[in-house]
Amino acid sequence: MKRDPANASGMAINPRATLNRIGQGRHFLQIPGPSNVPDRVLRAIDYPTIDHRGPEFQQLGFKVLEAIKPIFGTTNPVIIYAASGTGAWEAALVNTLSPGDHVLMVETGQFATLWKKLADKLGLKTELIPTDWRRGVDPAQLETRLKEDRQHSIKAVCVVHNETSTGVTSDIASVRHAMDAAGHPALLMVDTISSIGSVEFKHDEWGVDVTIGGSQKGLMLPPGISFNAVSDKAIAASKTATLPKAYWAWEEIITVNRTGFWPTTPATNILYGLAEALDMFYEEGLANVYARHKRHAEATRQAVRGWGLEILCQEPSQYSPVLTAVVMPKKPDGSHHNADEFRKFILEHFNMSLGMGLGKLQGWVFRIGHLGDFNDLTLIGVLGGVEMALNAAGIPHQKGGVQAAMDYLARQAQQA
Ligand code: PLP
């Protein structure tokens, strides 16, 4: 029997067919990461893989290792791993801590919870300050807890900058301030996996010890690489920390990075993409990139309010510039209209993927990602898809959400 070489496994998998499910045009990937990869970055990645020990690679290595630093707000080394964000979470902990060390975390949502579970598996003693998943870190609460710890048994405070499950961004400068006010020497570790490249971050100025980042969101790259930005204090801690570490160990990577190379095989093609994405950041200007994210987030919230729907985040000062989590309206029996059926409807009819509600938010919350390679008209398309679907799926709402967003964006354009 003649086999189709494109289908040698016999499994009918063709992602491209799904992407074009509604005739022509692009799929709208509006989950809060992975985000859309710009054509420029895709073209940069589509270049033959080179010798990762050769001179051409060395130039690339020097470029990305230097040009990534302002995005994290640091002049210290930024370690780049061939791993998803979870790898960089683990790297932060195993490099700096020892078995049984006490780690204080804040349960801002699903990702904070997953980071805690990972820390538990590594043999750390974790303590989680609870929240209702509708607000971020409360610096006053953190300060009180740290003041109680007179023996300084807490070795690290770990917080998520942008909680991707809830659309809530915590104020890291205030976290630093709370730690200083408590006079507590714990390390500060911050997960910026869904904020880096979209929200201004100041690793050095805010006294963060380890900043954890990922490629697939604000940095406009495919999934596959992740980051640890490190302070001198974190590097010093890594010399005495005794959790087992091999692949993740900073020291060898930092040493070899000084020559433009990595000790193991780097993700060469994603690094081509990173070099291109960084060029795009500096061409637009970092301040403009961050302002653009805030503008799109505000326009999205105006649309959500226009529809008469509820934004999950309860603290306006903590609204995320990256995504907006929306609460489905209630039915007469008090239960919520189903968010996953709504997302399915949007995917099938308008070829757009929205983020699902994660953990305890599943089924009653959906998330609109407005990050990365994104502009006003894309946003209006996204919001148009949501409004059409609210209408077509018979979800109770008011008309005028998209209009409110357009009016806001038009005013912003006038003022620019
Ligand atoms: N932390 C945050 C805030 C995230 O949004 C994610 C993934 O979405 C992770 C951690 C886990 O990263 P990854 O899925 O790349 O391993």
Side-chain angles (χ1 to χ4, degrees):
M1 195 182 81
K2 217 173 146 205
R3 291 191 74 123
D4 174 2
N7 190 16
S9 69
M11 290 161 72
I13 296 175
N14 180 5
R16 281 166 208 272
T18 327
L19 300 188
N20 283 330
R21 68 173 78 218
I22 309 279
Q24 300 301 309
R26 278 210 166 195
H27 174 70
F28 271 53
L29 179 66
Q30 297 313 139
I31 59 175
S35 65
N36 294 290
V37 180
D39 290 349
R40 259 179 78 172
V41 172
L42 288 173
R43 273 189 232 115
I45 291 171
D46 184 13
Y47 181 79
T49 304
I50 53 173
D51 174 9
H52 61 289
R53 311 268 181 225
E56 203 184 354
F57 183 91
Q58 190 179 34
Q59 295 314 309
L60 173 70
F62 280 135
K63 174 175 173 170
V64 293
L65 288 166
E66 226 18 68
I68 193 68
K69 291 180 180 177
I71 308 272
F72 282 88
T74 189
T75 53
N76 261 15
V78 177
I79 291 131
I80 306 178
Y81 293 107
S84 83
T86 303
W89 261 351
E90 179 164 337
L93 300 175
V94 297
N95 272 285
T96 53
L97 299 169
S98 300
D101 274 356
H102 186 170
V103 176
L104 183 62
M105 301 173 127
V106 183
E107 189 207 356
T108 44
Q110 176 74 355
F111 289 101
T113 308
L114 291 175
W115 198 10
K116 180 218 179 268
K117 284 188 183 155
L118 186 146
D120 287 336
K121 286 184 199 158
L122 292 174
L124 294 165
K125 182 183 156 210
T126 56
E127 177 183 339
L128 202 55
I129 298 178
T131 82
D132 60 1
W133 288 35
R134 301 191 74 161
R135 61 203 79 236
V137 178
D138 177 351
Q141 204 179 7
L142 195 64
E143 186 179 327
T144 306
R145 178 64 192 95
L146 290 173
K147 277 183 174 155
E148 284 164 12
D149 179 37
R150 288 195 196 86
Q151 307 300 319
H152 294 166
S153 73
I154 295 170
K155 298 297 174 211
V157 171
C158 297
V159 293
V160 176
H161 184 211
N162 184 72
E163 184 43 86
T164 326
S165 60
T166 61
V168 176
T169 307
S170 290
D171 179 353
I172 302 305
S174 309
V175 170
R176 173 80 266 163
H177 185 74
M179 293 175 71
D180 291 347
H184 202 289
L187 294 165
L188 173 57
M189 306 203 199
V190 182
D191 169 346
T192 66
I193 288 170
S194 65
S195 58
I196 202 74
S198 299
V199 186
E200 183 167 42
F201 195 81
K202 299 182 178 177
H203 175 90
D204 291 353
E205 192 180 317
W206 296 339
V208 181
D209 293 299
V210 190
T211 300
I212 297 112
S215 57
Q216 72 271 28
K217 299 179 191 256
L219 293 178
M220 309 185 293
L221 297 169
I225 59 172
S226 54
F227 307 85
N228 275 180
V230 294
S231 70
D232 293 340
K233 186 172 158 187
I235 293 176
S238 75
K239 311 274 186 217
T240 54
T242 59
L243 274 174
K245 54 180 179 288
Y247 178 72
W248 306 117
W250 291 337
E251 193 172 3
E252 193 188 359
I253 302 174
I254 292 174
T255 306
V256 179
N257 276 174
R258 288 198 193 102
T259 64
F261 298 108
W262 269 259
T264 54
T265 310
T268 307
N269 289 58
I270 302 187
L271 295 181
Y272 296 153
L274 176 59
E276 190 71 19
L278 291 168
D279 283 349
M280 291 174 71
F281 273 100
Y282 298 119
E283 283 164 24
E284 185 175 352
L286 293 185
N288 295 330
V289 173
Y290 304 142
R292 169 164 60 78
H293 281 80
K294 283 188 184 164
R295 189 173 77 243
H296 290 146
E298 176 58 31
T300 304
R301 291 191 296 272
Q302 299 222 3
V304 175
R305 289 193 201 103
W307 295 320
L309 302 186
E310 193 185 348
I311 295 164
L312 184 71
C313 176
Q314 293 291 287
E315 286 289 338
S317 64
Q318 297 175 342
Y319 284 144
S320 170
V322 172
L323 76 140
T324 302
V326 184
V327 178
M328 289 298 281
K330 286 189 174 163
K331 297 181 200 163
D333 69 3
S335 67
H336 290 269
H337 283 268
N338 190 293
D340 292 336
E341 282 169 18
F342 181 59
R343 289 187 315 106
K344 185 166 178 275
F345 186 95
I346 292 184
L347 179 61
E348 283 173 1
H349 294 273
F350 302 120
N351 196 19
M352 174 161 70
S353 295
L354 295 177
M356 65 185 294
L358 294 172
K360 59 187 182 189
L361 307 174
Q362 189 178 356
W364 59 284
V365 166
F366 70 93
R367 296 169 299 150
I368 303 173
H370 31 74
L371 68 155
D373 185 34
F374 202 63
N375 62 25
D376 291 9
L377 294 191
T378 314
L379 177 62
I380 294 306
V382 172
L383 298 174
V386 176
E387 188 163 323
M388 283 191 288
L390 287 168
N391 204 356
I395 310 288
H397 69 289
Q398 297 155 21
K399 294 217 177 298
V402 176
Q403 188 63 54
M406 287 198 296
D407 290 346
Y408 171 76
L409 291 175
R411 281 196 303 277
Q412 294 293 306
Q414 254 173 356
Q415 287 162 18

